Structures are given as structure tokens and as C-alpha cells.
Amino acid sequence: MSQLLVKGGNRLTGEVTVQGAKNSVLPILAATLLAGGQVELRNCPRLRDVEASIHILEALGCAARWTDSGLLVDTGGLNGCVISDILMREMRSSAIFLGAILARCGQAELSYPGGCELGPRPIDLHLAGLRELGAEIDDTGGLLRCEAPRLRGREIVLSLPSVGATENLMLAACGAEGVTILSNAAREPEIVDLQEFLNACGAEVSGAGTDSVAIVGGRRLHGCTFTIMPDRIVAATYLCAAASAGGEIFLRNAGERHLATVTAALREAGCAVTADSGGIACACRRRLKAVRPVRTAPYPGFPTDAQAVLMAALLRSRGATVFEENMFSSRYRHVGELTRMGAEIRVSGRVAVVTGVETLYGAPVCCTDLRGGAALCVAALAAEGETRVSQTAHIDRGYEDIARDLTALGAEIRRIETTPIET
Ligand code: UD1
């Protein structure tokens, strides 16, 4: 159990290297099951959710170990197709293992991943797509019992571009006979990373990054060495940290191409953002101004995962900014914590209006979810006095070490270990 102590007021200066992407490595770890051999993942972030995926792989008979250059996974020893309820609950995106296990074993049994702190997180599209590929799924009693001795490729039209459903079906389709076309697929950059990983293992997948992904099933896959893409949401978080605290930072490894909506908002707010092949530089020298409405949407729209951190950066801006959260029903839980610090935010349904205040004050606050927790740190950097951030386990799901990175940028932030009662 730990808390983060943040003393606000320092301008940020310096540079950090952005870690590998959580949302890329999680489906890729599930995809290693298809390789049936040794995979080396470079730039693999050390995260709680990655550890949870490793536990699942180990429970299935596979091996994984960290090396100096990344994570080595060997799925040659796969000897099971059941994931226990405890392991499924350790990580929200465990459902993604379903497509991979079915493709490799023809059967799978796992429990429902359940709801989450952002609101209900159904997997109906995942299951409907798998059924269209020929899987028989009994989903009664909180368990998913799946049989798919033979999966057959076909066109599947997703009723909405779900990231997880697109990835799950890409994995299952690798084990299907014939060609699968996923229409209205999600276009997130992490899906392109998954495609590149699968192709490096010998699969034949094309179209990722567009709304139509084609998978030629039945190829025999093998291991490979693959480098995980940089995490665009971590990059967005540190850009927002610089916008909040002021200063000049450089994010090595970050690519602006995947962050265009976030950097556009920061430029509109008054930050100078420039990018080259080495990374993104952000300079914020004066009080920010409010920006035009920020509406979250599937990629290439504004990422829901960056909504909270941008909101935190704008708490002391001049004017009012309207946020519209269109992806998840409970994604304003950080608002109550930010108002403890003196922020002025009104929420009505999916809309939140942030009116900039002159001063934020340090306060005891509690992480409500992963990105909401990061937003508390972003706000704390600009607050007078000390902020004590508790329930930091949420943050650790997606940031290797947020205190390490912000300290490298000149912030005063440290982690302290606490007893359960203090946390
Ligand atoms: C992924 C990301 C998460 C991000 C989200 C939206 C990972 C590990 N997580 O989550 O960080 O916030 O994309 O960009 O990559 N939906 C259904 N039925 C389904 C599936 C989804 O109704 O079967 C709905 C969801 O409730 C949500 C919307 O579709 O409202 C988008 O969800 P989805 O794109 O599937 O997000 P995840 O893959 O869970």
C-alpha cells in the first residue's frame, strides 16, 4: 500500500523516455499464446496489468521472465484452457485471452471479467463475434464455457468500434479456416501494433488502423522479437503535467501522430508543442486559456483515457471548458477529488464544465481509477502546498513509476508506504 506526496509549485523541466504502451502489450501478451514458441517483447512496461497477464500465461502452462531487454514469454508449454475467477478479476482486459485460447485449443473456460470503475464493461460484441466465427458459448452463471473445434472465417460487422472486441476477434480469426473481415473495426494505434506483432509471428493480417481488418486464418505461427510502441496516454499525461505546472519538457520516444487531438487542445490552451522523430517537446510559459469543447470519441477522436488529465491541466485556465464523455458512463469520478483541491467543475450527465480558478490547494485525495488517479497528480503539481494521493494502486496499473518520471522532470513527488488503514 502506498501514497504519493506531491508538493506543488515546481515548474517542470527536463526529459523522460515514455514507457511502452499498456494497451498494446496486453493484447500482445494474449497473442503470444498463438505463437506457441518463444517471444521477446522489448520496451515492455513493468505494470500491474502486465504481471496479471503473466499470471494468466503461467496458469495456462506457459513461462515468462524479465530480462535486461524486456520480457521473454514461452507459450510452447501451453497445457490448459481454463482461467480461474481470481485471475480473471485481476485485470479488466483478461477477456482478450478468450479469442487466443479458442484459436489455439478449440475450447476455453473463463469467468466474466465483470464491471469496472468506469461503469459497465460488457463483452457482448466479443461473444457475438466469436459465435459468428463458429464458437459455441454458454455464458450462464458468470462463467464462459466455449467450444470451437472448428472456427470459420467470415465477415463480421461490429455494431460499434470496440477496441477489445476487434482485438479478440483478430486473435480468434488467426485460428479460423479462411478469411475473416472485421468491419467497423476500431482504429486505435494499438490495434496496428497487434497486427504487426501477429505478422511478425507469421500471421497474415492487414487493414489495422482502418475500419476494415482482414485476417487470413490457419497460418502456422512462430515466436519473434517485437518492440512495443510508446504509450500515447502516458505521453498525454506528462504533456498535461507540463501544461498544469508550467515549464519545458521533452518526451523521448513519444509520437505526435497518435496524439494529434491532445496536442491540438494543448496548443489551443497556449502551450508550444513541437515534435520530431525523437519525441515531443512542450513549453508552457503562461496561464492557460480555456479550449473549445473536448468530446471523447473512438480513435482518431479525442481519447477518453486523456480526458481526466487534460481536465486537470485546465483547472487554473482562464475561462470555461466543456468536456463531453461519450465512451464510458462513469468517467467523471475524479471530479469530486479535484474539487477538494479547489477546482470548479459542474457535471451533468456526460457533460462536465470546468471553470478555471486562480489557485488550487493541496488536499488529501483518493484515486478513483487509473487515469483519474494520474489526473490528481497532474492537478497537484499546480496546487499550493502538499497533496496526499491515496489508492495509488490504480495508477500503478498503467504507469511504471509516475513518481520517478515526474521527479525526473523536476517535480516534488515521492511515494510513501502506508498501512492499510492509512491508505
Ligand atoms: C480499450 C482500452 C481503454 C480505453 C477504451 C476506449 C485497452 C486494454 N483498454 O478498452 O483504455 O479507455 O479502449 O478507448 O485497450 N462495448 C460494448 N460491448 C462490448 C465492448 C464494448 O458495449 O462488447 C462498449 C463499452 O462499454 C464502451 C465502448 O464500447 O462504452 C468502447 O469500449 P471498448 O472500445 O471495447 O474499450 P476496451 O477495449 O474495453
Side-chain angles (χ1 to χ4, degrees), residues 22-23 26-27 93 118 120-126 160-165 167 188 304-305 326-328 331 371:
K22 166 176 101 54
N23 288 355
L26 297 182
S93 49
L118 308 181
R121 210 121 175 210
I123 54 166
D124 53 318
L125 299 178
H126 303 228
L160 58 89
S162 155
V163 175
E167 294 166 343
E188 268 66 2
T304 174
D305 289 348
N326 297 309
M327 301 299 293
F328 293 104
R331 208 152 198 188
R371 306 302 170 186

Side-chain angles (χ1 to χ4, degrees), residues 23-87:
N23 288 355
S24 167
V25 74
L26 297 182
I28 286 176
L29 282 169
T32 61
L33 286 176
L34 299 177
Q38 188 160 300
V39 168
E40 182 182 2
L41 297 178
R42 299 203 171 144
N43 201 32
C44 182
R46 287 193 178 228
L47 301 169
R48 262 184 54 199
D49 279 6
V50 170
E51 295 298 339
S53 299
I54 292 173
H55 292 154
I56 291 176
L57 288 169
E58 287 171 345
L60 295 170
C62 308
R65 70 183 164 86
W66 292 96
T67 67
D68 289 342
S69 50
L71 182 66
L72 263 189
V73 181
D74 192 336
T75 58
L78 178 78
N79 59 13
C81 55
V82 179
I83 306 181
S84 71
D85 191 48
I86 289 184
L87 289 174

